[in-house]
Amino acid sequence: MRISGKSSWAAALAAGALLVLPATASAGQRETAHPHADVAAQSPASAPSAPSGPSATSVDAYYAAAEGKTGAALKTALHTIIKTQSKVNYDGVWNALKVTDQDPANPNNVILLYSGRSQSKSTNGGGANDWNREHVWAKSHGDFGTATGPGTDLHHLRPEDVTVNSTRGNKDFDKGGSPVSEAPGSFTDGDSFEPRDAVKGDVARMLLYMAVRYDGGDGFANLEMNDKVNNGSAPAMGRISVLKQWHQQDPPDAFEQRRNQVIFDTYQHNRNPFIDHPEWVASIW
């Protein structure tokens, strides 16, 4: 497969291309599919004046307690850092996703995760061609449902076509299968789902965030990665070996970095460390 190229996290942070954008919508508006685009391409007419992105110093300060650590000690330190967060309820997720996943080329639309389609923000709901709230860490894996906490954590919730969301279901992630209708470049079989190339790394980093953030505290299960599929209701997701490959092949891009910053600035006030420091994945796993 051809993997889409992406800019490094440091370069995008330095560019300051992290915008908090309006969430207005026009009914029924849809566009053809396209991959992630650099938020700097937003047209001046639709983009408000926005604060610059975080400096390297401010990001370093956020992770100061993890400095110099590796392996299990690093994972523990990161958990302590990112567990301090505000929480969004499940109804609030609708409006949050209209901001976090806004199409940089059209402020009336969101980009659907697996489909790559740009679709009107106002078409959220339960109909066949609507978009709804996809739990990338399937909510049955740990049985947390839509409870405020892991069930509403914006770092792994993304807009997706209702039918495609149903096709993914609670499957683990792995390579192969048959093409997924309405999600070009995605594949599925009886026990796994493979997303399109442009978001393979995004999926991996969302899952790794969840495995660090939720460790058995907060009244929820201890979420962990493993190298299996068919995890069912176990608080586990796989395959970690494949997800690590996807993380390497598809590094963070400006869309993902902007999303991380918007969640930090506006909603949860915590960050996904594997977007800011991709090298930490190999250190922990």
Side-chain angles (χ1 to χ4, degrees):
M1 282 179 208
R2 182 177 64 81
I3 304 299
S4 299
K6 294 192 177 183
S7 60
S8 70
W9 68 273
L13 289 176
L18 303 167
L19 308 179
V20 179
L21 298 169
T24 56
S26 59
Q29 183 175 2
R30 293 176 63 175
E31 295 183 353
T32 56
H34 60 79
H36 285 174
D38 192 326
V39 294
Q42 176 81 28
S43 66
S46 59
S49 59
S52 61
S55 68
T57 301
S58 66
V59 173
D60 288 346
Y62 180 76
Y63 295 115
E67 174 105 19
K69 294 181 171 62
T70 59
L74 174 60
K75 185 180 180 187
T76 298
L78 292 176
H79 168 74
T80 301
I81 293 166
I82 68 177
K83 74 176 182 179
T84 301
Q85 68 177 102
S86 300
K87 295 181 174 66
V88 179
N89 65 33
Y90 199 47
D91 285 340
V93 168
W94 286 121
N95 285 332
L97 292 181
K98 294 175 184 180
V99 180
T100 60
D101 290 75
Q102 177 170 294
D103 182 350
N106 184 343
N108 295 319
N109 287 13
V110 292
I111 301 291
L112 308 188
L113 176 65
Y114 306 130
S115 303
R117 188 169 73 227
S118 178
Q119 181 159 326
S120 173
K121 292 174 177 178
S122 68
T123 59
N124 61 295
N129 289 311
D130 291 340
W131 63 267
N132 61 4
R133 297 160 290 188
E134 156 71 342
H135 291 77
V136 178
W137 186 293
K139 55 185 181 288
S140 63
H141 290 229
D143 195 29
F144 51 75
T146 60
T148 300
T152 65
D153 196 311
L154 295 172
H155 282 295
H156 85 116
L157 280 159
R158 302 293 292 266
E160 186 48 69
D161 176 87
V162 168
T163 303
V164 175
N165 194 343
S166 178
T167 297
R168 188 268 157 138
N170 70 345
K171 296 172 183 174
D172 293 270
F173 292 92
D174 200 358
K175 299 175 183 177
S178 301
V180 176
S181 177
E182 295 193 70
S186 298
F187 302 89
T188 193
D189 57 23
D191 57 19
S192 70
F193 190 91
E194 178 181 352
R196 61 192 177 102
D197 288 351
V199 296
K200 279 181 164 66
D202 308 49
V203 166
R205 287 180 285 275
M206 286 185 276
L207 297 175
L208 299 175
Y209 162 87
M210 292 291 284
V212 171
R213 169 60 186 87
Y214 298 98
D215 71 344
D218 303 321
F220 298 108
N222 180 15
L223 306 184
E224 291 290 351
M225 305 303 302
N226 65 18
D227 208 33
K228 297 166 53 181
V229 293
N230 276 327
N231 277 298
S233 62
M237 288 290 297
R239 296 183 181 265
I240 183 60
S241 59
V242 171
L243 291 162
K244 286 174 66 178
Q245 291 174 20
W246 291 351
H247 167 68
Q248 289 293 327
Q249 293 168 349
D250 175 37
D253 69 358
F255 186 99
E256 191 179 358
Q257 290 156 343
R258 172 196 174 275
R259 190 176 196 278
N260 194 29
Q261 189 66 29
V262 170
I263 293 171
F264 178 77
D265 286 339
T266 307
Y267 297 103
Q268 296 183 183
H269 312 300
N270 71 339
R271 306 182 69 88
N272 183 331
F274 306 112
I275 297 173
D276 295 324
H277 283 278
E279 72 278 8
W280 283 344
V281 172
S283 181
I284 296 174
W285 287 280

